[in-house]
Amino acid sequence: MNMRTPLGKVRGLGSAKDGTEHFWHQRLTAVANVPLVLIGLYLVVSLTGAPYSEVYQTLSSPLAAIFLFLFSFSVLSHMRLGMQVVIEDYVHGEFTKVLLVMFNTFFVMFTGALILYAIFKLSFGG
Amino acid sequence: MSEANPTKVAAKARPLSPHLSIYKPIPTMVASIVHRLTGVGLYFGMFLFAWWLFAAATNQAYFEWVNSLFGSLLGRIFLLAFSWALIHHMLGGIKHLVQDTGRAIEKNFTTTMAKWHFVASIVLTILLWFAAYAAR
């Protein structure tokens, strides 16, 4: 049973009703992105101009799959939050704003699905 | 001024705070705008990274076609811009994380930092590309 008073439940949540979650997740993913992006840069640079067999072999290793999953999850979360702020700052029409914030999520989900498919196929696709 | 309709009064154009174009650009302001712009650029660039991975997962012919697009002159210019945006946005992000703790916010220091931010991101991008070409 929840013993908190109605006032206590809403305190600190603000007008968006999610408190500091957006702010905190933006920072959390920002910190995670630093090492992940550095590894990602190393990975891409090391594969520039490499033949397909080498690219395939590198990307289909378990370590690459785990890295790509973490990298994508953190980066996609971060960019979804960031784009949401940009939309909320510049789009003032309520309908357009809600629509664009929705499309933002759809775009991020689609990009994520593309990456997940690629990771699965590279790892298990034979 | 004959009729005092309260709804009409509310709809009247009220003074706004000045827009960005009014101000003389100063380093910290440019750094802030560029941080946001690079973020938006990276947002769409991430889709192209996903496309590259998808190509690698699809087959050799498709991967080689996609890779040749990235390897073309236009592709290389895009990758150069993308890598700079990534490095610049990352440095800006680290700066923000430090500033979140209440450090490095003195006005002269932030101006100096904003200038060096651009120098650092450009130098690091050039170094990255040297490393990439040297590796081949």
Side-chain angles (χ1 to χ4, degrees), chain A residues 5-19:
Chain A
T5 64
L7 180 64
K9 280 181 202 162
V10 298
R11 229 174 221 156
L13 289 180
S15 58
K17 308 286 177 280
D18 61 359

Side-chain angles (χ1 to χ4, degrees), chain A residues 10-54:
Chain A
V10 298
R11 229 174 221 156
L13 289 180
S15 58
K17 308 286 177 280
D18 61 359
T20 54
E21 202 182 294
H22 183 115
F23 177 92
W24 173 241
H25 282 176
Q26 190 75 329
R27 267 71 190 167
L28 187 73
T29 52
V31 172
N33 280 351
V34 175
L36 291 170
V37 163
L38 288 175
I39 298 169
L41 272 175
Y42 171 77
L43 187 71
V44 170
V45 165
S46 70
L47 290 176
T48 12
Y52 181 70
S53 56
E54 193 192 322

Side-chain angles (χ1 to χ4, degrees), chain B residues 80-104:
Chain B
L80 182 67
F82 185 79
S83 56
W84 171 75
L86 188 62
I87 290 167
H88 193 86
H89 195 82
M90 181 157 62
L91 291 176
I94 293 167
K95 184 172 82 178
H96 278 124
L97 288 172
V98 172
Q99 288 176 330
D100 279 347
T101 68
R103 294 173 179 87

Side-chain angles (χ1 to χ4, degrees), chain B residues 8-136:
Chain B
K8 276 216 173 118
V9 172
K12 235 169 67 178
R14 280 181 258 167
L16 296 167
S17 58
H19 283 298
L20 272 181
S21 51
I22 299 289
Y23 299 103
K24 172 174 158 267
I26 55 168
T28 45
M29 171 180 150
V30 174
S32 168
I33 295 165
V34 171
H35 188 73
R36 185 161 271 204
L37 276 178
T38 50
V40 171
L42 292 167
Y43 178 93
F44 293 105
M46 184 64 179
F47 183 78
L48 295 176
F49 174 73
W51 184 42
W52 180 78
L53 266 188
F54 175 80
T58 306
N59 60 47
Q60 182 165 3
Y62 188 60
F63 177 76
E64 278 169 1
W65 178 67
V66 171
N67 230 13
S68 72
L69 291 182
F70 281 118
S72 68
L73 182 65
L74 216 63
R76 274 167 211 246
I77 292 170
F78 159 76
L79 287 173
L80 182 67
F82 185 79
S83 56
W84 171 75
L86 188 62
I87 290 167
H88 193 86
H89 195 82
M90 181 157 62
L91 291 176
I94 293 167
K95 184 172 82 178
H96 278 124
L97 288 172
V98 172
Q99 288 176 330
D100 279 347
T101 68
R103 294 173 179 87
I105 49 175
E106 192 273 323
K107 76 171 182 181
N108 292 315
F109 183 71
T110 52
T111 302
T112 313
M113 199 162 49
K115 289 175 185 165
W116 282 103
H117 184 178
F118 283 95
V119 176
S121 66
I122 290 166
V123 168
L124 287 172
T125 307
I126 293 168
L127 286 176
L128 180 76
W129 279 68
F130 264 118
Y133 274 100
R136 279 299 124 195

Side-chain angles (χ1 to χ4, degrees), chain A residues 61-95:
Chain A
S61 73
L63 215 58
I66 293 163
F67 162 74
L68 285 171
F69 180 76
L70 293 173
F71 170 83
S72 311
F73 188 73
S74 186
V75 166
L76 289 169
S77 308
H78 187 80
M79 69 188 227
R80 175 170 170 262
L81 294 169
M83 185 54 84
Q84 189 186 329
V85 173
V86 173
I87 294 166
E88 286 165 352
D89 277 357
Y90 303 126
V91 181
H92 302 305
E94 196 61 23
F95 182 75

